[in-house]
Amino acid sequence: MRADRVLALVLLAAAALYLGVLVPEVGRQQTALGTGDFYTVGPTVLPVFAGGLVVIFALAVVATTPRTASELQFTEGLGGAALFAGVVTVTAFLMPRIGFLPVSVGFLAVVFVVFRAATWWICALLTLALPVLLDQILRKVFLIPLPGAALF
């Protein structure tokens, strides 16, 4: 078995433990302490999102067929991971200063350009629509305050 699949299975098991034991414990502690009376979705919504995404990505790695090293591009190896980590770091630095919507649009645009997405019109549609959709869901449905900007 390849290392990426072993890591994916380990992360899948860890995510199952995280979602099955640790996340519900956070909700129980909040209820026991009496801090759950304010108007919000509770402290477990973001950990559930995070754990769910780890499960989805781990299953995607397990389900895909492995490629040889000659088929991989620069952006898929260690250099690509370091580049992506840099983009995420810059995004995290700029988000409270500029706001969620402009930084999210910029993040998606940079990721699509750097990692050479195949279909430009789908990338453009996702770059513009996804941040607005996420903003509306997180603000209106889950009542999660996001960093704002002067025009947004």
Side-chain angles (χ1 to χ4, degrees):
M1 187 177 288
R2 292 173 44 112
D4 57 347
R5 288 190 175 188
V6 171
L7 180 61
L9 290 174
V10 168
L11 288 174
L12 188 60
L17 178 68
Y18 176 75
L19 289 171
V21 176
L22 297 176
V23 172
E25 186 61 31
V26 170
R28 279 192 288 273
Q29 286 180 0
Q30 181 194 28
T31 304
L33 294 173
T35 58
D37 296 335
F38 56 92
Y39 190 61
T40 183
V41 293
T44 60
V45 77
L46 293 179
V48 168
F49 283 162
L53 286 174
V54 170
V55 168
I56 290 169
F57 292 145
L59 289 174
V61 169
V62 170
T64 57
T65 57
R67 294 182 289 171
T68 63
S70 63
E71 295 175 324
L72 297 176
Q73 300 175 6
F74 164 76
T75 55
E76 297 178 45
L78 184 58
L83 183 61
F84 186 74
V87 170
V88 169
T89 302
V90 169
T91 300
F93 176 76
L94 290 176
M95 182 103 33
R97 290 158 181 78
I98 299 176
F100 177 79
L101 280 175
V103 171
S104 297
V105 168
F107 172 79
L108 288 174
V110 167
V111 166
F112 286 140
V113 168
V114 168
F115 292 96
R116 296 183 190 104
T119 311
W120 68 267
W121 65 272
I122 291 176
C123 295
L125 182 66
L126 286 174
T127 299
L128 297 175
L130 195 58
V132 173
L133 179 66
L134 282 174
D135 180 71
Q136 292 303 304
I137 289 172
L138 292 175
R139 285 183 200 264
K140 307 288 188 206
V141 176
F142 294 113
L143 305 173
I144 296 173
L146 296 172
L151 301 174
F152 299 99

